[in-house]
Amino acid sequence: GGNGGVFFVTDNPGAADLLLSASSDVADAVELHKTVMQGDTMQMVQQMNVPVPTGETVFKPGDLHVMLIGLKNDLKAGDTFSVTLTFQAAGERTLTVMVKDQ
C-alpha cells in the first residue's frame, strides 16, 4: 500500500515527442511527477504530460520521475518489474525496472 518512484535518464536522439502516460501492474496508480522546490520544501507535482524535445535529456535524477501510488506488494532490492511509457508519436515503450535501495 506504500508508494515508490521510478527514476531513470532518457535521451531523445529522434523527433520531438510527448510522453502522455505511464503504467505498471505493481501499483494501483502510476503518475508522471516533477520534483520542485516551493520555498524551503521539496514538492512532487503531477504532470499531465512531459515534452520530450529532440536532442534533450529528460527524466534526470531529482527532476522528473514516474510515481507508483498504492504498491500492491513490497518491492525489495534486486526485484524487477515493467513500466510502460506511452508517447504521442512513438507509441508504447516498456522498461524493465530494477529495484535498488535508497
Side-chain angles (χ1 to χ4, degrees), residues 11-79:
D11 295 313
N12 181 15
D17 207 341
L18 186 66
L19 177 59
L20 302 173
S21 65
S23 61
S24 179
D25 292 340
V26 300
D28 293 329
V30 181
E31 299 177 351
L32 305 172
H33 279 217
K34 182 177 179 83
T35 304
V36 296
M37 283 296 289
Q38 293 183 343
D40 294 337
T41 307
M42 191 74 73
Q43 300 277 327
M44 290 182 286
V45 179
Q46 183 179 4
Q47 307 294 295
M48 298 317 293
N49 56 57
V50 176
V52 184
T54 300
E56 299 271 334
T57 300
V58 293
F59 285 92
K60 299 175 231 177
D63 186 23
L64 292 161
H65 60 280
V66 172
M67 191 74 192
L68 305 171
I69 301 168
L71 290 169
K72 295 177 181 178
N73 296 300
D74 290 338
L75 299 176
K76 298 178 183 81
D79 289 349

